[in-house]
Amino acid sequence: MFSIKWDDMDLGDVSFSDLAGSRAPARVIDHENVAVRKAAVKGTVEIIADMILEAKGNLVFLTGAGMSAASDIPTFRDPDHGVWATRDPKQCGTKEAFVHHPERLWTVLMDVVGPENDPKPNLGHKALGDLEALGFTSTVVTQNVDDLHENAGNKDVMHLHGNLWRTFCVACGLQGTNTHELLRTVKKVDLPPRCDHCHGVLKPDAILFGELLDNSIVDRASDLVKHTPLLFVLGTSARVTPASDFPIMAANHGAKVVEINMERTQLTDTCVDVFMNEPLEVVLPQIVELVRQKHLKKDPLGTSMFTLLSSVLNGSSKMPE
Ligand SMILES: [Zn+2]
Ligand SMILES: [Zn+2]
């Protein structure tokens, strides 16, 4: 029998330390009966939509490899299928290797991400972009080095591990042509691509093995996490710092935490209020569509222009039966 374990917590003036001992366990959908499960998913979608509607402040979405999986992005560190599973990162993926043989990393990139398999945002990315367009200001803090969140319309995207699609010159520091364009125009024999100004080597702006994260990005992300009313953990097991600290940090500062992952993680039982193990590209559009409908009922005039536009643009988006 499915039971609702999740209670709405009114934080009021109560500090987290008061709550820590009595924190409600995460609402988890865990039932093999298809009909029961379907009803539970629908109910949880509604709970999450209401959490978004009630949240006052900037939402934070912490995303990882699972977010881009439906876009056929190769995951770099997956031990079985990742890019480094069949290549030696010491030979081409470290800072040291890049200094001596920059063409090796560029060759890997050309083989793996371009130009004929240029990934596109999936319905999960698009749902987050749509939510922002509805007026729910949000920041995406991502461990992904792709630019699919930006392409789906999110304006504030922070890349903890850098952005593979931006490049800079290692000699003069100027920004170079973007990686998409380089992989389309430069021939393999001419790798690595070079700076237009000083002919220095161009480096993708992603963190390589042996490189440190950008402190200013980590600091700003931490600050946003401490002030958000609602943090989502999407498609990441958040096993490495600093990403692993963010959900706990948010919960300690009174935020509610929603986790959508294909498997339970170390976070599920420690700081998560609502957990779903459903594909992101399926449930995120359902959640955002429900937010849109409910938001519209509350504020029909203010959003009429958006409704008009979105009904033209997304004529096919429907809630599941
Ligand atoms: Zn070489
Ligand atoms: Zn240069």
Side-chain angles (χ1 to χ4, degrees):
M1 184 69 194
F2 174 78
S3 64
I4 295 173
K5 295 179 199 151
W6 184 82
D7 310 304
D8 188 38
M9 281 200 304
D10 182 10
L11 284 159
D13 293 318
V14 186
S15 72
F16 182 78
S17 55
D18 297 322
L19 281 168
S22 60
R23 191 176 177 87
R27 176 194 165 101
V28 175
I29 299 170
D30 186 16
H31 205 290
E32 284 160 26
N33 179 309
V34 174
V36 172
R37 187 176 176 88
K38 212 172 155 188
V41 169
K42 201 173 170 187
T44 306
V45 162
E46 178 143 19
I47 285 172
I48 296 173
D50 288 341
M51 289 167 93
I52 293 172
L53 285 157
E54 284 158 20
K56 287 179 181 54
N58 190 59
L59 308 178
V60 174
F61 297 90
L62 178 63
T63 72
M67 189 79 215
S68 296
S71 293
D72 287 328
I73 289 265
T75 57
F76 278 78
R77 300 194 187 198
D78 180 322
D80 299 319
H81 309 288
V83 170
W84 303 125
T86 53
R87 296 171 179 85
D88 183 0
K90 282 194 219 80
Q91 296 296 315
C92 48
T94 64
K95 188 183 171 186
E96 182 78 350
F98 191 82
V99 170
H100 298 290
H101 292 289
E103 77 285 356
R104 289 181 182 169
L105 178 68
W106 278 107
T107 304
V108 171
L109 292 180
M110 190 167 269
D111 291 345
V112 175
V113 288
E116 55 285 322
N117 41 14
D118 202 2
K120 303 275 185 295
N122 63 55
L123 293 175
H125 295 105
K126 285 180 185 157
L128 298 190
D130 289 348
L131 188 66
E132 180 155 304
L134 273 171
F136 294 85
T137 56
S138 24
T139 300
V140 176
V141 178
T142 187
Q143 296 167 282
N144 298 338
V145 293
D146 61 61
D147 55 1
L148 299 179
H149 284 298
E150 288 93 334
N151 291 348
N154 275 100
K155 291 182 189 67
D156 191 17
V157 182
M158 305 183 67
H159 288 271
L160 291 173
H161 298 166
N163 183 343
L164 194 57
W165 305 110
R166 277 193 311 245
T167 68
F168 66 93
C169 170
V170 295
C172 74
L174 282 176
Q175 191 168 344
T177 308
N178 74 61
T179 303
H180 292 290
E181 188 62 24
L182 289 172
L183 293 178
R184 251 195 309 273
T185 54
V186 179
K187 290 199 200 84
K188 211 170 202 173
V189 290
D190 295 329
L191 293 174
R194 302 239 164 214
C195 173
D196 289 338
H197 305 277
C198 75
H199 208 62
V201 168
L202 291 180
K203 181 183 176 297
D205 197 3
I207 306 288
L208 300 180
F209 290 96
E211 285 188 308
L212 298 173
L213 304 195
D214 182 337
N215 268 333
S216 65
I217 292 179
V218 176
D219 288 349
R220 180 170 173 253
S222 306
D223 193 54
L224 288 165
V225 162
K226 286 176 188 164
H227 292 97
T228 188
L230 181 56
L231 178 124
F232 285 79
V233 180
L234 305 176
T236 173
S237 52
R239 269 193 295 261
V240 285
T241 54
S244 56
D245 301 332
F246 291 152
I248 294 157
M249 206 185 271
N252 283 348
H253 283 77
K256 288 183 178 163
V257 179
V258 173
E259 178 185 16
I260 308 178
N261 265 325
M262 292 315 284
E263 282 158 20
R264 298 171 70 117
T265 66
Q266 56 176 10
L267 300 170
T268 314
D269 295 316
T270 50
C271 62
V272 168
D273 296 290
V274 178
F275 172 84
M276 277 186 113
N277 61 336
E278 301 292 322
L280 291 165
E281 67 279 13
V282 175
V283 288
L284 286 178
Q286 293 174 7
I287 292 166
V288 172
E289 173 58 17
L290 195 55
V291 168
R292 192 183 69 78
Q293 288 172 9
K294 291 188 170 202
H295 186 58
L296 204 66
K297 270 189 202 152
K298 266 166 56 179
D299 181 23
L301 282 177
T303 49
S304 58
M305 184 53 83
F306 176 81
T307 319
L308 184 68
L309 279 172
S310 69
S311 62
V312 171
L313 295 173
N314 320 313
S316 60
S317 64
K318 282 197 189 78
M319 278 298 291
E321 293 308 316

